[in-house]
Amino acid sequence: MKDRQHAGGNTTVSRRAFLQGSGAAMAATAIATGANEAVAEAEKPSRLRSAGPQKVVLTVNGKQHTLMLEPRVTLLEALRNDLNLTGAKEVGNVSNDGADTVIIDGKPVFASTRLAIEVEGKNITTVEGLSEGKNVDEVITAFVKHDATQCGYCTPGFVVAVRAFLNKNPGANLEQIRKGLGGNICRCGTYAGVTDAAVELCKQGGA
Amino acid sequence: MADEPNLEYFWPPREENVLIGKDIQRIDGIAKATGRAKYSSDINTPGTLFAKLLTSNQAAAKIKMLNIEPAKKVPGVRAVYVFPSAYDIATGESKEIRWDGAPIVAVAADRPEIAADGVRAIEIEYEPLPFFVDEEDLAGAEKAQEETGIERVKSLGDNTEGDVESALSEAAVVHKGYYGIHTISHCCLEPHGSHCEWDGNDKLEVHLSTQNVSGTPGQFAGPLGLEQTAVHVQGHYEGGGFGSKFAADEWDLACAEMAKTTGKPVRLMLDRATELKIAGTRPSGFIDVTIAADAEGNIIAWDSHHWGTSGMAGGTVTLGKIPYVFDFANRNRKATGLVCNTGPNRAWRAPPHPQLCALTMTAMDDLAAKLEMDSYDLFMKNLPNVSKGIDDRIDVYAEQMKIAAEMIDWKAKWHPHGKGGGEGAVKRGLGMALHTWGGGAGPCTCLLKVHPDGSVETFLGSQDLGTGTRTVIAIVMAETFGLTLDDVKVNLGSSRYPKSGASGGSITVGGVSSTHRMAAQKALRQIFNLVAAKYDVKADTLAAKGGQILSDGKPVCSWKQAAGLVGPMPLEVQGETTREGLTSATVGGVQMVEVSVNTETGVIRINDFVCVQDCGLIIDELTARSQVLGGMIMGISYALTEERIMDSHTGRYLNADLENYKLPRIGDIGNLRVKMYQPASEYNRGVVGLGEPPVISPGAAISNAVANATGVRVPVLPLTPQRVLDALQKGGAA
């Protein structure tokens, strides 16, 4: 028995073939239903995409970037490997650790749980967007002041999570902070410092 | 030391320090918090290929068939590497796969998703072999050995002091107990791995996630057939090591080999499951113990047999160190190692003290309960039984216990085990434990330069794991030269810099701080001589403070003017680890914790957790406290939730992901308080490391607090809700 250890065999090829096939079927239907509808259909952005590398436009920290990516590429991979924005970290294969936290249209999101093509047209803020030269977000200053970093690998994700949390909960109390920042794992044990930083910022109204 | 000026190198008088001993923010904090700090996993030089691994899904097997050709055919796959430890691709001969997660093939491709396609395309067939993974089951291991003829049980020796039998017969109280602590994985958030890039065929640039920058070039050079001069290892930031990142691993060599065959840079970081399975574990320990005391609570006998596993090496918690911190006049001890098909162990922060502490101080606490003594009183009473070698610190332990007890209000809050009363299902309790660690100053050298413009920098092949190494070095240099932290630059993380030891065992801060104090004092004395000649003052009246050179307190010139006297080229001095006068070894600490236990759900909450810790002279109190807090939090983790779970039916590591390998979150740690114990005697003995000690006591202290709350001992760590409920049911308290 030949055993392909990881289930699914070479799924990419079969999925690509499948999607290309259904794309062709869609085009045929459009022609059949009349020219006007076909034009309208062509102008409406299609939700169907080929499985091959394709143009993906991402708006990151206010700048537009055009990339050639397969649809299966996650936002985290695109940020780290294509845009060299390596502040967001890959800790788990599918994130539940928060080291890859970014802000998408105001909400904190684990970047490895979104495909890059899914977030086209959305405003993505990474940790790199929270500083410019010596000008840094108050969250960053508070992290340094309260020593909320040790090895530092979880830190950028935690900084972004705190920024997103404060935007929504500028005057949060300790209990709210402890619940609201539960999405991020630190292995070195910087939670006390992160808590102190968040508490101080909340006292200042979420600066 | 300050009061021994005959020493060549010494620390300033404590009261004169501007930086040393204060709360100083780490100098790389901004780089880390902005995401600008580049870890090895962040290196993206142009053309970098991405590698992924095929790993064993068998605990023990031979490879019957391996076909890598389909992987090579995947468009975008650039290299396929078969690990020689698994399979000889030339002869088709399989090596023995001995644990789940063992690497078999690495695939490098243009993009990570294509590398994953390549891995999926590989065809492999295993011939399963018998395995054993039940590390708590001594009888099962003996039976498996008998049935299969495969070694599963290793005697690790036994030894005796005094006469245990007589002591037991004379004892007022004898307690027999069973305790244990499961294997955990290091679980570094930055996985093990590297980025390798060749310059031609004979020069290799490695960015390695390592605790051992100076020590790893040879580990690449040897297997790759290179001269050591051809390998440059860099590690500027490491996302956690905890004792698991001292070596260049076989997957790092795979990375270098694939970079060579493709002529392109390759980045290979372990995936999370593999990181948990094979990149380092802490051995388990389980113990049957008999402990006895006289009517006053003096412990007079200890008799134990413990077992556990370190994987296929068949080790467990070191025999010679149990009982922990204490030793008793009459003592038997015996250890047995179980040979398990599990990923190999590596040094885990304070090896193997957390396990020793959890196996010893729980038994002592139960003995106190049987004696109807306050646990605190039993520990205090037995301080004269502190082991030889650390018995000069008995008074320090007593002081630390008093301070911790006051902080947590022990005497007011303590109650006999299970007698706290209170309404409802939630019971509160107090527990404590003591710990020790050697530490000391590790080997280090540096090249320190004072430039003619007054700027100062140092070079050393050390690394900052997040402990604050860079910051400590900067503080020592700035304090010595009377400068600010902005005036000094620390260059570390390159194997081309003067060699420095691996960072592990709480020896880095002693090594780097004494090295830089020595180098800076040397440089300063040369500069004082130049100033003395130029300004006609006596060199021995000079001091460097606030950016100026003072003579008997009066300004002579600015630091920049003084530095300019060195001529057109920088003044260069070398430093090395200086133990006499600057550093010391051996620390102790005590931890006390109050918990709430929900006896209906089995959930434990940490309410208040205090640590009193000594570590000699403290360079930076802010980062020192962070080390202690971090240790306490890692301790909460292995005490309450964190463990490797092996499946006895398949031999696989069941929870090798961060959903099921449960680390605490920010809401799980309760109120933590740290008191750095630092009377003049601590300052005067010089610098000692701090990374290990605070992670040792939490397991025992928390277990003891749960026993105090519920009146029932939950014998095995971590104290998961299931184990708590099982113990309550067995103990009749549910």
Side-chain angles (χ1 to χ4, degrees), chain B residues 502-516:
Chain B
S503 287
S506 301
I507 59 171
T508 303
V509 66
V512 301
S513 64
S514 65
T515 295
H516 285 86

Side-chain angles (χ1 to χ4, degrees), chain B residues 312-332:
Chain B
M312 291 299 284
T316 178
V317 178
T318 321
L319 172 73
K321 290 180 176 172
I322 204 149
Y324 181 60
V325 173
F326 298 91
D327 202 0
F328 307 111
N330 306 292
R331 181 250 299 143
N332 285 336

Side-chain angles (χ1 to χ4, degrees), chain A residues 98-131:
Chain A
D100 57 342
T101 306
V102 297
I103 298 175
I104 301 179
D105 287 347
K107 284 186 183 164
V109 172
F110 295 167
S112 66
T113 64
R114 292 289 186 279
L115 298 174
I117 55 164
E118 266 184 285
V119 294
E120 274 191 303
K122 296 183 191 293
N123 284 313
I124 301 158
T125 305
T126 68
V127 72
E128 287 86 355
L130 300 183
S131 68

Side-chain angles (χ1 to χ4, degrees), chain A residues 60-81:
Chain A
V60 185
N61 303 326
K63 273 194 210 153
Q64 290 212 333
H65 302 271
T66 303
L67 303 171
M68 287 299 287
L69 301 173
E70 286 187 42
R72 60 177 167 161
V73 174
T74 67
L75 172 59
L76 180 65
E77 289 169 331
L79 291 172
R80 288 179 53 77
N81 302 334

Side-chain angles (χ1 to χ4, degrees), chain B residues 238-251:
Chain B
E238 290 79 45
F242 315 113
S244 68
K245 288 182 178 167
F246 291 126
D249 282 299
E250 56 180 323
W251 50 84

Side-chain angles (χ1 to χ4, degrees), chain A residues 1 3 5 12 72-73 80 82 84 86 89 91 96 131 133 147 149-153 182 187-188 191, chain B residues 26 32 36 38-39 41-42 44 55 111 113 117 124-126 185-186 272 626 630 642 659 664-665:
Chain A
M1 184 195 77
D3 174 18
Q5 189 171 307
T12 315
R72 60 177 167 161
V73 174
R80 288 179 53 77
D82 295 276
N84 204 25
T86 55
K89 307 295 186 211
V91 166
N96 44 30
S131 68
D147 207 33
T149 171
Q150 286 191 34
C151 87
Y153 210 68
R187 181 53 159 161
C188 300
Y191 293 137
Chain B
R26 65 181 69 216
K32 287 178 175 174
R36 288 176 206 154
K38 290 284 181 189
Y39 297 74
S41 54
D42 295 334
N44 271 336
T55 62
R111 302 193 58 93
E113 61 273 15
D117 288 343
I124 186 164
E125 204 177 322
Y126 299 99
S185 294
H186 291 68
R272 181 52 43 189
S626 289
E642 182 191 356
E659 276 165 50
R665 306 270 175 158

Side-chain angles (χ1 to χ4, degrees), chain B residues 537-551:
Chain B
V537 288
K538 284 191 171 160
D540 60 7
T541 66
L542 297 176
K545 283 183 194 305
Q548 291 190 307
I549 306 299
L550 310 175
S551 170

